Amino acid sequence: MNILITGCNGQLGNEMQQLEKNYPQHSWFNTDVEELDITNQLAVEQYVAQRQIDGIVNCAAYTAVDKAEDNKELCTTLNTVAPSYLAAAVEKRGGWIVQISTDYVFNGTKYTPYIETDTPCPDSVYGSTKLAGELGVSKFCKRSMIIRTAWLYSTFGSNFVKTMIRLGNEKPELGVIFDQIGTPTYARDLARFIMVAIEKGIKPGVYHFSNEGVISWYDFAKAIHRLAGISNCHVRPLHTSEYPTPARRPHYSVLDKTKVKQTYGIEVPYWEESLKECIEKL
């Protein structure tokens, strides 16, 4: 197949590129905004048609959650409009699309893990535009797979893990939120699953994927410091109210992975094992 990866300079896009060499039977087209402006409908249609693209993994998104509150137009263009252009273009070729979405499509008021059929109720511009992106992709491409993920980190780009390591080495004390609960996702694990889905065949629908387990940001920070060998930084728990942000965060955003495990016969790694792997790479 000819497979297009958008947002190739981001965390997930970089991880996808690391794995591509294991799948030489496919031709991979890695693009970021320099190679393909996905907000330009004509450019998208021409790219997909000329290169005879059979499938798209859309890793591109506007992910600055707080800045999104003041940049709704740009956020909508990247998270809602552009995915529809990609979906419509690949549909013309009878192809498929994998759209990466987020736990932010939920407001986080549940106390049990979210399943795919729970009614979305986003509470931020970011979450609303990502949900609209899901709906657009599903509308314009019959073979569309939506993957909601959460708390993404990687050896690439900027993320919570790298920030905690840097601050842990710079500061004697840190305050980290303890009353927001979820599950981290190592982008390499998500990329591995996407490759499995491509090889076994894209089965349309919505899926949840994060690592196994449940943890707070505070406990995550403590684990990062322990595994990175940082012992001179005191991490203290903060209430969400002590750290106000423009965008509201879900208090509980644990994703249930039953569907993805049953559909594709995969095992999802435990968050701490994946964190250890990432820190060793760093």
Side-chain angles (χ1 to χ4, degrees):
M1 288 183 286
N2 294 329
I3 301 173
L4 167 62
I5 309 291
T6 62
C8 73
N9 292 338
Q11 295 188 86
L12 182 58
N14 267 298
E15 296 288 6
M16 291 293 293
Q17 290 184 80
Q18 295 294 304
L19 298 178
E20 285 169 8
K21 59 183 177 292
N22 300 329
Y23 301 89
Q25 69 272 33
H26 304 305
S27 296
W28 300 93
F29 296 84
N30 300 299
T31 67
D32 216 289
V33 67
E34 294 81 12
E35 295 82 22
L36 175 62
D37 178 4
I38 62 170
T39 68
N40 182 327
Q41 187 173 14
L42 183 60
V44 168
E45 289 174 351
Q46 289 177 339
Y47 193 101
V48 169
Q50 289 169 2
R51 288 158 183 83
Q52 299 184 308
I53 297 298
D54 301 299
I56 299 174
V57 182
N58 182 27
C59 304
Y62 186 104
T63 57
V65 176
D66 288 323
K67 288 181 180 175
E69 295 296 310
D70 295 320
N71 290 289
K72 187 172 182 179
E73 190 175 342
L74 176 59
C75 193
T76 301
T77 301
L78 276 168
N79 292 349
T80 303
V81 179
S84 295
Y85 292 162
L86 292 165
V90 81
E91 173 70 15
K92 285 180 182 173
R93 291 197 33 79
W96 50 262
I97 184 168
V98 174
Q99 168 70 7
I100 309 303
S101 194
T102 173
D103 58 318
Y104 278 72
V105 301
F106 301 113
N107 63 10
T109 55
K110 257 187 92 174
Y111 294 97
T112 54
Y114 282 95
I115 58 174
E116 289 81 358
T117 52
D118 282 330
T119 303
C121 41
D123 210 8
S124 64
V125 167
Y126 170 67
S128 299
T129 59
K130 290 296 284 184
L131 176 60
E134 291 185 11
L135 298 172
V137 164
S138 301
K139 175 183 176 183
F140 288 108
C141 182
K142 290 193 284 286
R143 297 172 67 197
S144 62
M145 179 184 215
I146 313 293
I147 305 175
R148 294 177 184 147
T149 190
W151 297 24
L152 205 65
Y153 69 91
S154 162
T155 56
F156 299 100
S158 56
N159 54 65
F160 186 79
V161 172
K162 290 165 88 171
T163 299
M164 286 301 107
I165 291 173
R166 176 175 57 79
L167 294 177
N169 286 315
E170 290 174 2
K171 296 180 178 290
E173 184 176 283
L174 282 176
V176 181
I177 305 292
F178 81 93
D179 57 357
Q180 291 174 21
I181 309 297
T183 310
T185 309
Y186 182 28
R188 176 66 61 98
D189 290 335
L190 177 53
R192 286 175 180 136
F193 163 62
I194 292 169
M195 291 299 193
V196 168
I198 290 170
E199 289 308 293
K200 290 191 173 184
I202 297 297
K203 293 170 181 164
V206 178
Y207 297 84
H208 288 173
F209 186 97
S210 63
N211 284 123
E212 293 284 24
V214 179
I215 196 169
S216 73
W217 287 110
Y218 166 76
D219 293 304
F220 192 29
K222 294 283 283 184
I224 291 163
H225 283 188
R226 174 167 48 80
L227 292 170
I230 297 169
S231 56
N232 296 326
C233 178
H234 173 63
V235 182
R236 58 186 176 83
L238 290 180
H239 288 91
T240 296
S241 58
E242 295 177 79
Y243 191 77
T245 55
R248 189 182 175 280
R249 265 68 174 167
H251 275 282
Y252 184 91
S253 60
V254 180
L255 300 175
D256 187 297
K257 275 80 68 175
T258 304
K259 181 180 177 183
V260 80
K261 288 186 283 191
Q262 289 180 345
T263 304
Y264 282 97
I266 60 164
E267 280 192 26
V268 177
Y270 179 58
W271 69 264
E272 191 167 350
E273 292 162 9
S274 294
L275 176 62
K276 189 174 178 216
E277 181 187 324
C278 180
I279 288 175
E280 283 170 358
K281 282 191 168 73
L282 283 169

